[in-house]
Amino acid sequence: MTVGMTDKQFDGFVRFVLDAIKEVYDKMQDGSEAKEKLQKVIENLQKIIED
């Protein structure tokens, strides 16, 4: 049996993950390579929500 998510559930999940990532991002040191990479992840997740 396969159980899927509705679009609304998926958007809620992405928002939850995005909020958690933003909290970590805000605590990171400016200019670090990891922060730059995390910014790309944030941008990609934001695009998913906006589509």
Side-chain angles (χ1 to χ4, degrees):
M1 182 170 143
T2 303
V3 178
M5 274 189 203
T6 65
D7 288 345
K8 189 173 182 177
Q9 288 171 322
F10 179 72
D11 282 350
F13 173 74
V14 171
R15 288 178 194 277
F16 171 78
V17 171
L18 185 57
D19 285 343
I21 290 173
K22 284 181 179 179
E23 284 182 34
V24 172
Y25 177 85
D26 290 340
K27 294 178 183 179
M28 296 178 80
Q29 185 177 25
D30 286 341
S32 70
E33 184 179 341
K35 189 167 184 174
E36 291 175 16
K37 288 183 180 183
L38 200 55
Q39 178 62 38
K40 290 180 184 179
V41 172
I42 290 170
E43 291 169 6
N44 287 334
L45 290 173
Q46 193 65 46
K47 287 178 187 176
I48 290 171
I49 293 171
E50 292 170 1
D51 286 345

